[in-house]
Amino acid sequence: MSATSDIRRTPRGLETRSRIVDSAARLFHVRGVSATTLDEVRLASGTSKSQLYNHFKDKRALIHAVIDVQSKFVLAREEQHLQGVRTLSGLRRWRDALIQANSLQDGSYGCALGAMSIELSDNDEQARQALNASVDAWRDMLVRTLTRLRALGVLTEDADPQRLGTGLLAALQGGYVLAQNAHRSEPMGVALDMALDHIACFARA
């Protein structure tokens, strides 16, 4: 076993690694991946250069670790909000939670996964594949939610969960970008409302 593996497997090594990844995730989200240096990650995490390189051979390895952590966080959050949705009102509450969280930072910074997708997908194939898998999983959650609503009789049989779920996620991601540019969450709310209004067209009378 390598020295790096030994360090990663000890409780102290795992804590250090987690601190580095969490610090990098915050910096990547606020400043962007390209604009963040490893020295800035090191300072933010309170680690030495040797500690950082013991866990990550280069910046790309750290980026991939951040994608993994951010993906798990976002998908767990979305699963928590969506798994109990049984009505269109429940879907609106999901929308409200996203807007509230976005408004706390004045619409800034956008979606952690979406921002990394824009920045990395054309120059890091491993990152693109990982981010695409996470976005697919997010869309699948929305599709499952809409499928459940159709099965419960909330939506009519001609509602297409695949199309509606894809459109809803597109509205969400586009809304994040609009909110980021405007530094306010209202445009994101409008984008989501239009998508939800379209879904409501399939509501069973």
Side-chain angles (χ1 to χ4, degrees), residues 2-3 17 19 21 46 53 67 88 118 130 133-134 140 145 174-175 184:
S2 68
R17 186 182 192 279
R19 193 167 72 250
V21 173
Y53 282 104
I67 290 172
L88 291 179
I118 292 170
S134 297
D140 289 345
T145 301
R184 55 191 180 90

Side-chain angles (χ1 to χ4, degrees), residues 92 168 171 188-200:
R92 293 280 180 183
L168 183 54
M188 181 177 169
V190 171
L192 283 172
D193 285 342
M194 291 189 71
L196 292 174
D197 286 347
H198 179 63
I199 290 172

Side-chain angles (χ1 to χ4, degrees), residues 4 9 26 62 80 101 126 185 192 198:
T4 300
R9 289 177 183 274
R26 286 192 295 271
L62 177 57
Q80 180 179 8
Q126 183 176 340
S185 60
L192 283 172
H198 179 63

Side-chain angles (χ1 to χ4, degrees), residues 110-115 135 138 168-178 192:
C111 170
L113 300 185
V135 171
W138 196 345
L168 183 54
L169 184 58
L172 172 58
Q173 291 301 321
Y176 270 122
V177 172
L178 293 175
L192 283 172

